[in-house]
Amino acid sequence: MGDTDDPTTGWSAFETAEPGLAATVRERFGQYTHHALATVRKDGSPRLSGIEADFRFGELWLGMMPNSRKALDLRRDPRFALLANPGAGTDMGGGDVRVSGRAVEVTDPATVDRYATEAGAPRPLHLFRVEPTEVVRTWVDGDEIVLHTWTATGPTRVLRRGNDESPPREDM
């Protein structure tokens, strides 16, 4: 895919490690076009922006207008958090889904052109490939909240907790 193609760090690596969770996350992001992206401003404070997240070529991509604040934030500090649009009401359409990690700018003209052509994205654009370090799905199951968490450095965990003072318990 160009100048940052590394199959051990991108979405495809996560998808290989956790195909079930990856499919749920893709489905959840596919329910809506617009999502919320958190980046780090120059002064260290968070910036929250709307964004369209796109799954193509086995990867998760973030495309942005030239010199947008979020693109400049990611160029300076690639850390981000991406929240799937929760939708209307309180049912959250299958749960709350978040992806955190690094956004690596792709500048290879052939890759940018291929992406823009297939996605119908306006040009010029900043294009970032997501390298997830944490993926979390949270949903309500009866009287419990369930957190399914994958991290790049540890085992996948499923924690459940009720609306009382009992400690969370882990599904085994």
Side-chain angles (χ1 to χ4, degrees):
M1 286 297 315
D3 57 352
T4 60
D5 188 23
D6 181 350
T8 65
T9 59
W11 179 264
S12 56
F14 161 66
E15 202 164 38
T16 297
E18 285 295 327
L21 180 57
T24 299
V25 170
R26 285 179 74 132
E27 178 183 324
R28 187 64 188 78
F29 272 99
Q31 290 178 13
Y32 298 94
T33 302
H34 297 97
H35 306 286
L37 176 71
T39 58
V40 181
R41 296 173 187 251
K42 187 183 267 187
D43 68 2
S45 64
R47 181 188 313 276
L48 192 59
S49 307
I51 193 159
E52 295 179 19
D54 193 23
F55 294 91
R56 278 181 202 280
F57 325 128
E59 298 297 338
L60 174 55
W61 301 91
L62 305 173
M64 298 165 209
M65 293 172 54
N67 297 314
S68 63
R69 296 289 185 188
K70 59 191 162 194
L72 297 176
D73 286 347
L74 290 173
R75 279 182 152 180
R76 187 184 57 264
D77 184 336
R79 294 175 296 166
F80 75 92
L82 179 66
L83 174 68
N85 186 324
T90 59
D91 68 348
M92 295 193 312
D96 177 62
V97 173
R98 297 180 306 277
V99 177
S100 301
R102 291 175 21 96
V104 177
E105 188 167 17
V106 175
T107 58
D108 171 61
T111 301
V112 173
D113 186 59
R114 178 180 176 209
Y115 174 85
T117 299
E118 290 198 21
R123 297 173 198 166
L125 77 149
H126 292 289
L127 181 62
F128 294 86
R129 185 178 63 86
V130 167
E131 292 183 350
T133 56
E134 181 181 58
V135 178
V136 180
R137 176 180 177 229
T138 305
W139 73 98
V140 175
D141 183 14
D143 292 336
E144 295 180 312
I145 190 164
V146 184
L147 294 94
H148 186 171
T149 304
W150 170 88
T151 63
T153 59
T156 299
R157 299 177 68 193
V158 177
L159 297 173
R160 295 175 174 272
R161 64 180 170 90
N163 194 22
D164 58 23
E165 294 184 26
S166 301
R169 67 186 198 329
E170 189 165 357
D171 285 359
M172 298 293 177

